[in-house]
Amino acid sequence: MAAEPLSNGAAHQSVPGRYILPVHQRPSYSGNGKVAPPMLPVVDLGGDDDGRIAEEIIRAGREFGFFQVVNHGVPEEVMGAMMRAAEEFFGLPADEKMAYYSTDGKQLPRFHTSVRNGAGEEFLYWRDCLKLGCHPPEWPDNPRGLGAALEPYTAAVMAAARRVLRLAAVGLGLCEEHFEGPLSGGAMMNVNHYPPCPDPSLTLGIAPHCDPGLVTVLMENVGGGLQMLLHDDGDAGGGGTMWVDVDAAPGGLVLNFGHQMEVVSNGRLRSGEHRVVTGARVARTSLASFVWPELWCTVAPAQELVLAPGKGPLYRPYSYGEFLGVYVAEAGDRDAIMAHFKH
């Protein structure tokens, strides 16, 4: 049964039954239940010391799969205009938003709620989402300022993402152009909206997952929702996990690596597992811009990273289209997904 988007009506006074997760899936029971203080690495993309910047990106990718960037080249006024237009969309009358409501995952632009509008979902997540095309840009007619804001924002964010990918390639010992072409030829944006939740302890905005592509660039209007899973890889070998709040500095952007970066780097860089918790007081809106391979593109560990003795490939070659099929079938479960592609 299709679900009614959360932003279509009055504020909820209680959490509807379909949004109440089983106890073991609720925020306080994910990972080991602890939330650590913010500790997101900051990478300054300004300056011309590419070697230093590359080292910082690789260090953050190896330890967390997450980092924030400053001096990224996306003008403040461009970021502001895009966020205002995104917020305006979710404030439109319900009938104007529902003109783009669809269960067709290939339709762009597409407005939906939870993950799949409730279709095939036992439980719902506390999120409405507007999916937008980036190549070429595809957006709704309303609000009228959305198209004018989307084009410069997308161009600037994609330029920043590709600079990070070039620096990551250098830091991995690959040629600077390794991630160019079909390996990074796909792009899409999720405009996520999380209305205030009456009881954030009962539900999640998004379940724990890793993004399917190479890299994701995130801008948000307020912090306090996104969390990354921190792995304790200490000498003691405890192997514990802890959820860490992810809040960018003012004007900063949050980046996380996806499954394809972990594969291409042959496990040297981590795909950042994350979730979104809800808040009771204010709505949160975020813009996630995804860079990923073309569907027909073959993805495999870089040859330069598997030639050394004892460094064989961890993953088999596959097409990105095959990967997406598995990703959807396994509902984003990290371990179940990657088991299909282990060498």
Side-chain angles (χ1 to χ4, degrees), residues 12 16 29 35 51 99 118 226 250 263 272 283 289 315:
H12 289 272
Y29 283 82
V35 178
L226 178 64
V263 170
S289 301
Y315 305 97

Side-chain angles (χ1 to χ4, degrees), residues 3-335:
E4 179 74 12
L6 294 162
S7 61
N8 275 4
H12 289 272
Q13 301 304 309
S14 61
V15 179
R18 291 188 72 190
Y19 290 91
I20 298 177
L21 299 175
V23 171
H24 69 281
Q25 294 181 25
R26 296 177 190 175
S28 61
Y29 283 82
S30 300
N32 62 7
K34 299 179 180 179
V35 178
M39 53 183 302
L40 190 65
V42 179
V43 176
D44 187 344
L45 294 181
D48 55 4
D49 189 352
D50 284 357
R52 171 192 61 80
I53 301 171
E55 288 179 3
E56 292 179 358
I57 289 172
I58 296 303
R59 185 181 308 116
R62 182 175 60 247
E63 296 180 9
F64 305 105
F66 264 91
F67 53 98
Q68 61 176 309
V69 294
V70 296
N71 294 321
H72 42 64
V74 185
E76 183 178 345
E77 62 271 19
V78 171
M79 296 172 66
M82 184 65 215
M83 182 57 73
R84 288 190 296 273
E87 293 170 334
E88 188 177 349
F89 175 84
F90 293 101
L92 290 173
D95 61 336
E96 293 187 32
K97 292 191 299 243
M98 292 301 283
Y100 302 96
Y101 185 84
S102 176
T103 58
D104 181 358
K106 297 180 180 179
Q107 176 177 313
L108 293 175
R110 178 167 69 99
F111 176 48
H112 67 97
T113 194
S114 188
V115 178
R116 295 188 298 274
N117 287 330
E121 295 182 84
E122 184 178 3
F123 302 98
L124 299 178
Y125 292 96
W126 198 266
R127 174 190 76 151
D128 287 349
C129 180
L130 174 65
K131 292 187 183 294
L132 301 174
C134 294
H135 294 318
E138 299 173 272
W139 61 84
D141 295 331
N142 287 320
R144 296 189 180 278
L146 182 56
L150 178 64
E151 292 190 86
Y153 178 78
T154 297
V157 164
M158 290 299 138
R162 287 189 165 83
R163 173 159 164 72
V164 167
L165 289 174
R166 288 194 298 271
L167 291 166
V170 171
L172 288 168
L174 308 174
C175 70
E176 186 176 293
E177 299 81 16
H178 187 89
F179 292 107
E180 295 183 4
L183 194 53
S184 62
M188 192 183 74
M189 182 188 298
N190 277 1
V191 184
N192 302 303
H193 183 72
Y194 307 94
C197 178
D199 189 346
S201 71
L202 297 178
T203 190
L204 285 168
I206 298 179
H209 69 287
C210 297
D211 292 336
L214 272 174
V215 64
T216 303
V217 183
L218 184 85
M219 176 176 70
E220 55 187 357
N221 61 350
V222 295
L226 178 64
Q227 295 179 341
M228 65 179 180
L229 188 63
L230 179 65
H231 296 259
D232 179 8
D233 297 328
D235 294 337
T241 60
M242 180 179 296
W243 288 105
V244 178
D245 291 326
V246 176
D247 291 320
L253 296 170
V254 174
L255 276 77
N256 65 275
F257 290 138
H259 283 295
Q260 308 316 304
M261 181 61 80
E262 185 163 331
V263 170
V264 174
S265 70
N266 204 37
R268 285 165 171 76
L269 301 182
R270 189 189 300 272
S271 53
E273 188 167 3
H274 54 287
R275 69 181 186 181
V276 174
V277 296
T278 62
R281 295 184 178 181
V282 298
R284 174 176 174 268
T285 301
S286 68
L287 283 70
S289 301
F290 303 97
V291 178
W292 50 38
E294 300 280 5
L295 291 177
W296 53 265
C297 179
T298 298
V299 181
Q303 284 298 305
E304 298 91 329
L305 303 180
V306 301
L307 294 177
K311 298 290 184 180
L314 298 179
Y315 305 97
R316 65 172 176 84
Y318 55 84
S319 73
Y320 186 58
E322 178 192 358
F323 182 90
L324 281 184
V326 171
Y327 187 87
V328 172
E330 297 290 359
D333 184 302
R334 175 194 174 101
D335 292 339

